[in-house]
């Protein structure tokens, strides 16, 4: 007792039959498949590149935020020690405006 093949299998079998009988049709099919694989490859490459760039930017931003927080803590300590603003600005690399903002937070 033979069963009717699944619709997807039947479609694949029909396509295989058509391709094996018509060389031009087979070449068109193969060219289309190559095009689709190339498109997928380009998309995957772009995704990997985007992810890499995003990670690099995130790391850089984290470093910058960490440096800014370190400078802020050092400036607070120097203010607590009673050092003058000019010395603190020179030592930390903060601007006068940034130092003033830190003082106002305190």
């Amino acid at each position: 007792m033979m069963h009717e093949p699944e619709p997807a299998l039947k479609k694949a079998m029909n396509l295989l039959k058509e391709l094996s009988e018509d060389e031009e049709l087979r070449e068109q099919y193969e060219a289309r498949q190559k095009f689709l694989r190339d498109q997928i490859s380009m998309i995957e490459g772009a995704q990997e590149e985007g992810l890499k760039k995003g990670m690099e930017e995130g790391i850089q931003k984290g470093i910058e935020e960490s440096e800014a927080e370190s400078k802020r803590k050092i400036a607070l300590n120097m203010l607590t020690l009673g050092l003058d603003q000019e010395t603190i600005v020179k030592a930390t690399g903060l601007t006068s405006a940034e130092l003033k903002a830190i003082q106002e937070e305190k």
Side-chain angles (χ1 to χ4, degrees):
M1 185 161 103
M2 296 238 352
H3 295 282
E4 184 69 25
E6 294 289 325
L9 182 59
K10 187 175 183 177
K11 183 177 177 181
M13 289 170 54
N14 288 339
L15 179 60
L16 179 61
K17 183 179 177 187
E18 284 180 46
L19 293 176
S20 63
E21 292 174 356
D22 186 342
E23 187 173 334
E24 184 179 337
L25 186 59
R26 186 181 74 246
E27 288 173 2
Q28 289 174 355
Y29 174 80
E30 289 172 357
R32 174 75 177 150
Q33 292 299 87
K34 181 184 181 313
F35 171 78
L36 293 174
R37 286 191 301 273
D38 290 347
Q39 291 294 99
I40 290 169
S41 179
M42 285 191 321
I43 290 168
E44 289 173 349
Q47 287 173 334
E48 287 176 18
E49 185 177 326
L51 181 60
K52 181 181 175 185
K53 183 176 180 183
M55 299 253 313
E56 289 170 355
E57 289 175 1
I59 290 169
Q60 184 61 37
K61 184 176 180 184
I63 290 169
E64 290 168 4
E65 288 175 359
S66 177
E67 288 175 355
E69 183 60 24
S70 294
K71 287 180 180 183
R72 186 184 163 286
K73 286 179 181 179
I74 292 168
L76 282 171
N77 288 338
M78 294 175 93
L79 286 168
T80 303
L81 293 171
L83 295 173
D84 64 286
Q85 288 188 359
E86 186 179 331
T87 302
I88 297 172
V89 167
K90 286 180 182 177
T92 61
L94 294 170
T95 65
S96 295
E98 290 169 328
L99 182 58
K100 187 174 182 177
I102 291 169
Q103 284 176 308
E104 291 172 0
E105 291 174 15
K106 197 174 123 178

